Amino acid sequence: MIENNVHAMEYNTTRKKLQLPEYGRHILKMVDFITKIENREERQKAARAVIGIMGNMFPHLRDVPDFKHKLWVHLAIMADFKLDIDYPYEIPSIEVIREHPKKLPYNTKPIKYMHYGRILEDMIDKASLYPEGEEKNVLTQIIANHMKKSYLTWNQESVADDVILKNLSNLSKGKLTLSGSQKLNETKEILQRAKKKKSPNNLNGKMY
């Protein structure tokens, strides 16, 4: 008796692969069953019934746009695109589903100053292209203040404005400079703002 039960057991290594594990083994067996129904009308009804069960598994997604469409696509995937029914939505081909996304190009340009980061260096490159004028001056001051803030994030003691301006000139190849009337925010003010943001009183009453 025990020997018969052992032979009747199913092991994951012998089972069909779960392409969409979130639906579980039982839904996959239902899908396999309806693909074998010979009567097309009955097969169509069974497919709708399985879609209903699949939808009930994620009730919080019922109001999400295209949720029903996704369910029918998932049904087609679990059936290995062999389910001959009238789909109420357009189903992408198996080639489209299995197509790997194109690799995004990785920026290999070295970061000159790690404490400023790549985004700020990109901002400097863009600002350097601006024509001379008030807009460029304001943008330069904003960038310089952000550089000072970033520097103090790494070294929360102090930093001379001359260091920031020298780094800015270096990164912009001399194209971004402050006018005589433009000043950077005081170090004390920047550190106080940072400290205030970290204060428990500014976390909506929540302690983490």
Side-chain angles (χ1 to χ4, degrees), residues 4-17:
N4 291 335
N5 287 336
V6 170
H7 285 298
M9 290 175 65
E10 288 185 291
Y11 295 92
N12 286 334
T13 53
T14 60
R15 291 175 171 179
K16 182 179 179 180
K17 182 181 177 181

Side-chain angles (χ1 to χ4, degrees), residues 32-51:
D32 286 341
F33 174 76
I34 63 177
T35 59
K36 296 179 177 65
I37 297 177
E38 295 184 0
N39 185 283
R40 184 180 179 83
E41 187 177 345
E42 291 298 321
R43 193 164 59 243
Q44 189 78 37
K45 289 180 181 178
R48 291 197 189 97
V50 172
I51 286 292

Side-chain angles (χ1 to χ4, degrees), residues 113-143:
Y113 300 102
M114 293 299 294
H115 46 280
Y116 296 137
R118 190 183 302 281
I119 293 178
L120 196 139
E121 290 190 8
D122 289 341
M123 289 172 61
I124 291 174
D125 290 340
K126 296 291 185 183
S128 298
L129 301 177
Y130 273 57
E132 297 299 327
E134 182 64 21
E135 188 176 9
K136 184 176 182 178
N137 292 338
V138 172
L139 184 56
T140 300
Q141 186 173 22
I142 291 173
I143 290 174

